Amino acid sequence: MLKRYLLCFLISMVPLIELRAGVPFAVGLGLDYFSALIVCVIGNMLPVPIIYLFAREVLIWGSTKKYIGRFFTHCLEKGERGGQKLKAKAGQGGLFVALMLFVGIPIPGTGAWTGTLAASFLDMGLKSTTAAVCLGVLIAGIIMGAVSMTGVHVFGL
């Protein structure tokens, strides 16, 4: 049983799929939803301070390298665009809510990794970013859990 929770934890740490895959995977395994949600949220949140503090510098460094430059430049530009979109839509005062909703609505390209990177470009501050992303991750986890459990009951799985 512990191995299943650990697997959900690790899945939730992976960029792009994050908790959006971790929670449905946990539901599919028949794990207790609330326990799995806590494990997946922690897994999804663990990289946030590291991303905030170091990702921009790593991307800038990598963008100048021969083989990885294109990918790192793409990530750098995506983070900058995401930050500017958030700022344009929310203004300076509404950035917290905009970031929370950006992370919380589980669609491709949104999530803790992208949201944190965008917030680092906007210099939102680590505490504020972490709080907004955490609330967004909780929202996404609840949505994904509800969708996953509905699918399990509808399809009789």
Side-chain angles (χ1 to χ4, degrees):
M1 186 66 76
L2 185 59
K3 288 182 183 179
R4 291 179 177 185
Y5 281 106
L6 181 60
L7 189 55
C8 295
F9 175 85
L10 294 172
I11 288 170
S12 296
M13 289 179 69
V14 176
L16 301 177
I17 61 171
E18 303 178 23
L19 163 131
R20 288 150 173 76
V23 170
F25 188 75
V27 170
L29 289 176
L31 298 176
D32 174 65
Y33 167 69
F34 293 105
S35 300
L37 178 63
I38 291 167
V39 167
C40 290
V41 166
I42 292 169
N44 202 181
M45 288 301 298
L46 195 63
V48 167
I50 297 163
I51 295 164
Y52 186 87
L53 295 171
F54 302 112
R56 185 171 28 173
E57 287 77 18
V58 170
L59 291 173
I60 291 168
W61 170 83
S63 67
T64 63
K65 304 303 175 212
K66 184 176 181 180
Y67 296 106
I68 58 173
R70 287 182 66 186
F71 175 72
F72 278 59
T73 300
H74 169 74
C75 293
L76 197 57
E77 290 171 354
K78 184 175 173 94
E80 288 175 357
R81 280 193 313 269
Q84 293 309 314
K85 282 183 185 178
L86 277 175
K87 191 173 184 178
K89 287 182 180 179
Q92 194 64 27
L95 278 177
F96 183 91
V97 173
L99 178 60
M100 178 186 68
L101 293 175
F102 176 81
V103 172
I105 300 172
I107 58 175
T110 68
W113 284 72
T114 308
T116 303
L117 183 60
S120 75
F121 281 104
L122 295 173
D123 295 318
M124 272 185 68
L126 182 58
K127 287 181 184 179
S128 170
T129 297
T130 302
V133 170
C134 187
L135 289 171
V137 165
L138 280 169
I139 292 167
I142 292 167
I143 292 170
M144 292 308 298
V147 169
S148 298
M149 288 187 283
T150 302
V152 167
H153 294 297
V154 168
F155 296 110
L157 300 173

